[in-house]
Amino acid sequence: MNTYNRYPVTIVSGKGCYVWDDQNNKYLDFTSGIATCNLGHAPDGVKQALVKQLDEIWHCSNLFHIPNQNTLGKLLVEHSCFDKVFFCNSGAEANEAAIKLARKYAYDHQKSKDIITFTQSFHGRTMATLTATGQTKIQTGFSPLIPGFSYLSFNDFTALNQIKELKPAAVLLEIVQGEGGVIPANPVWLKELAKICKTEHILLIVDEIQTGIGRTGKLFAYEHYGIEPDIMTLAKGLGSGFPIGAMLAKKEVAARFQPGSHGSTFGGNPLATAAGIATMNQIIQTDILSSAKEQMDQLKEKLLELKMRHTVIKEVRGLGFLLGVEIDGEANKIVQLAIEEKLLVLTAGPHVVRILPPLTVTSDDMKLFIERFDKVLEKME
Ligand SMILES: *Cc1c(COP(=O)(O)O)cnc(C)c1O
């Protein structure tokens, strides 16, 4: 169905941070399939793991034990503050699972069932997750929405008092709002919010679907903030492009789910978890995050240099390789001009260009990006 306005490029292959179209044109891809191919396109380790798994078993359902699930679950738990993992197939499903778990927790503790999210957030396209999404453009035409959601303003200190008064079951937020315009949480605000959630026994749910799996320079973005959420959702980067989602929780929260509470036929199947294990291992067992950190600092610096020369840039913001360039004009125009320069970037709302390189970019790739982006900005003047 006609659910996407597509750019006029037909992509047929990809390797690293390059993709090729059906005319054999080569593009520098700084979208990573929307923060998904964090190790670049077709990374060797993940490819080998998938090929090996194809020879063993593809699918058997969650009615049986799946060794890959245990392995990936352990990797996620050992490298985060969480104890238990539920596997699904997408970001929306991971958030859906988080919302259900929060509701069940509230139900069992006879507390408010309300969930607070923030304006400009994005949490998915299913009924519960589009309700959680604080943007009317996502919700229009789909009411009645799910009851029990309310929206406060992100990074707003008065919202903290409202949370204290409302005492909801849970607060759900992105550490860096992605689709809503690349807006990082204010560290003072988020720390205070986490403190309120702890003292008031409100579950803190972080949607790390876009920020997780190394995107911001740490394995998970909450690590930048010195907080310990109760629930975290993952998807995009977890399978390097193979569909997989996950919802992680602390054990006392996770214990609210029992056999029959929730499920998924495909969730965490042997192929998806093979991709997840290989992706996680490549990040954990190598120095990819520290080498990416250098490139991340460089990219921000280079973008700030471009800002000095191009008045069309109003602001450069973001965390690691989740960067937003706010434009005095239409961001989509930039994306279209970039395609002419064989460069792929994204938008995040009407005025923000979103730049999402894979963690594996080299200095040469970065130089090429700046050259091409500079040309695009010149055309905007
Ligand atoms: C992409 C995204 C989602 C939805 O993920 P899908 O896999 O498209 O369902 C949810 N939350 C955030 C923050 C996202 O970036």
Side-chain angles (χ1 to χ4, degrees):
M1 296 191 191
N2 188 26
T3 53
Y4 280 88
N5 271 323
R6 295 178 199 263
Y7 293 109
V9 184
T10 302
I11 294 173
V12 294
S13 65
K15 190 71 194 167
C17 59
Y18 293 90
V19 294
W20 285 262
D21 70 11
D22 56 352
Q23 317 289 316
N24 211 26
N25 290 307
K26 183 181 181 183
Y27 296 80
L28 177 61
D29 179 12
F30 270 29
T31 73
S32 302
I34 320 184
T36 294
C37 306
N38 288 1
L39 303 175
H41 292 283
D44 290 333
V46 182
K47 180 182 161 186
Q48 281 154 18
L50 279 169
V51 168
K52 182 168 172 283
Q53 190 60 49
L54 278 171
D55 278 332
E56 290 165 7
I57 184 154
W58 301 9
H59 180 82
C60 59
S61 93
N62 282 307
L63 299 174
F64 303 97
H65 292 281
I66 299 174
N68 280 355
Q69 250 178 45
N70 295 342
T71 309
L72 182 55
K74 268 206 188 85
L75 282 172
L76 289 169
V77 160
E78 280 168 6
H79 292 88
S80 71
C81 66
F82 305 97
D83 307 301
K84 293 280 180 185
V85 187
F86 172 82
F87 289 108
C88 50
N89 313 288
S90 68
E93 275 180 76
N95 282 337
E96 192 81 30
I99 291 163
K100 276 185 73 176
L101 183 60
R103 283 266 166 93
K104 186 67 166 45
Y105 186 85
Y107 183 91
D108 291 350
H109 288 85
Q110 300 183 340
K111 287 166 48 105
S112 154
K113 313 293 183 293
D114 293 343
I115 294 172
I116 285 179
T117 68
F118 294 91
T119 49
Q120 294 305 111
S121 60
F122 182 82
H123 299 296
R125 301 287 197 157
T126 62
M127 281 311 301
T129 60
L130 81 84
T131 302
T133 294
Q135 299 191 55
T136 44
K137 72 169 191 203
I138 306 281
Q139 298 173 337
T140 301
F142 299 107
S143 55
L145 303 182
I146 309 285
F149 284 84
S150 44
Y151 315 95
L152 297 175
S153 15
F154 195 64
N155 283 341
D156 177 356
F157 282 85
T158 61
L160 300 181
N161 293 331
Q162 287 170 279
I163 290 167
K164 254 192 234 167
E165 277 163 29
L166 292 165
K167 290 196 182 21
V171 173
L172 163 63
L173 83 168
E174 296 157 89
I175 302 281
V176 180
Q177 290 192 327
E179 313 291 321
V182 188
I183 305 160
N186 171 337
V188 180
W189 179 82
L190 182 51
K191 270 203 144 138
E192 188 59 29
L193 170 60
K195 213 168 91 190
I196 292 168
C197 287
K198 276 258 141 59
T199 53
E200 303 291 336
H201 306 289
I202 299 164
L203 297 178
L204 180 61
I205 308 173
V206 291
D207 174 345
E208 291 238 25
I209 290 161
Q210 189 155 164
T211 52
I213 319 296
R215 175 57 45 196
T216 68
K218 301 225 184 243
L219 189 54
F220 306 115
Y222 77 81
E223 298 171 49
H224 290 285
Y225 289 79
I227 59 167
E228 275 207 11
D230 302 290
I231 299 176
M232 171 170 77
T233 53
L234 298 173
K236 291 191 166 86
L238 183 54
S240 291
F242 201 99
I244 182 169
M247 188 268 290
L248 289 75
K250 297 260 193 197
K251 56 177 176 294
E252 57 285 4
V253 183
R256 297 295 112 211
F257 267 5
Q258 274 148 23
S261 300
H262 197 47
S264 165
T265 299
F266 288 129
N269 95 355
L271 278 170
T273 39
I277 293 165
T279 302
M280 282 291 287
N281 277 335
Q282 192 150 334
I283 295 176
I284 293 160
Q285 293 171 358
T286 68
D287 63 356
I288 187 169
L289 282 182
S290 57
S291 54
K293 186 78 183 63
E294 275 170 48
Q295 302 295 340
M296 288 169 177
D297 293 343
Q298 230 189 62
L299 179 56
K300 197 155 195 185
E301 206 174 290
K302 287 271 155 58
L303 285 170
L304 287 168
E305 274 173 39
L306 288 180
K307 178 175 177 278
M308 307 249 271
R309 290 196 285 110
H310 298 280
T311 51
V312 68
I313 298 184
K314 282 168 74 178
E315 196 188 356
V316 176
R317 58 177 182 250
L319 205 54
F321 273 164
L322 173 43
L323 289 171
V325 177
E326 191 167 341
I327 298 293
D328 183 10
E330 257 190 71
N332 204 38
K333 182 86 193 294
I334 298 238
V335 174
Q336 282 165 6
L337 290 170
I339 289 172
E340 290 172 19
E341 296 298 327
K342 305 284 177 289
L343 169 67
L344 303 183
V345 290
L346 292 175
T347 61
H351 304 295
V352 178
V353 176
R354 191 168 21 156
I355 297 166
L356 303 161
L359 303 173
T360 49
V361 285
T362 64
S363 308
D364 286 346
D365 303 326
M366 202 68 89
K367 240 174 79 190
L368 193 60
F369 167 77
I370 292 297
E371 260 172 48
R372 291 183 181 178
F373 199 54
D374 197 4
K375 273 192 205 154
V376 170
L377 293 167
E378 245 158 52
K379 289 188 186 169
M380 287 291 283
E381 301 288 322

